[in-house]
Amino acid sequence: KMATKPISRGVQDMPPPGGYPKINTTRGIRPRGPSGFAIWAGIIGASVYGMYQIGLVNAENRANRKETREARMALFPYFKAEQ
């Protein structure tokens, strides 16, 4: 047994008759930011553009190496004659 008796038991809160009103969880909130398709299109587009730029740089490097190689081949007989 308890040492003292509780003064009152209190009254439990109950819902109103008919229940609480529904909470609108489907408000007209518009989606923010770009769509998934737009994000993927951007990623793929940036990748394709990056590969294109790499191809351009590689072609330029190939042309520079070819020019250097041809210049060395043209001068090789003169260098060989000096030895």
Side-chain angles (χ1 to χ4, degrees):
K1 278 191 153 189
M2 296 175 58
T4 60
K5 273 182 130 180
I7 295 172
S8 70
R9 299 216 35 159
V11 178
Q12 181 176 357
D13 287 337
M14 298 299 289
Y20 291 108
K22 294 265 185 194
I23 297 174
N24 184 9
T25 57
T26 59
R27 296 177 300 187
I29 298 175
R30 295 185 48 176
R32 293 173 39 171
S35 67
F37 176 79
I39 291 172
W40 278 106
I43 289 170
I44 291 170
S47 297
V48 168
Y49 178 72
M51 292 296 173
Y52 173 72
Q53 288 296 323
I54 288 172
L56 289 180
V57 169
N58 285 344
E60 184 179 345
N61 287 341
R62 262 193 315 274
N64 287 340
R65 283 196 310 266
K66 181 180 179 185
E67 182 180 355
T68 303
R69 186 173 55 246
E70 288 176 351
R72 285 181 183 163
M73 285 191 299
L75 294 174
F76 181 74
Y78 298 107
F79 292 143
K80 194 68 172 170
E82 287 182 0
Q83 288 182 356

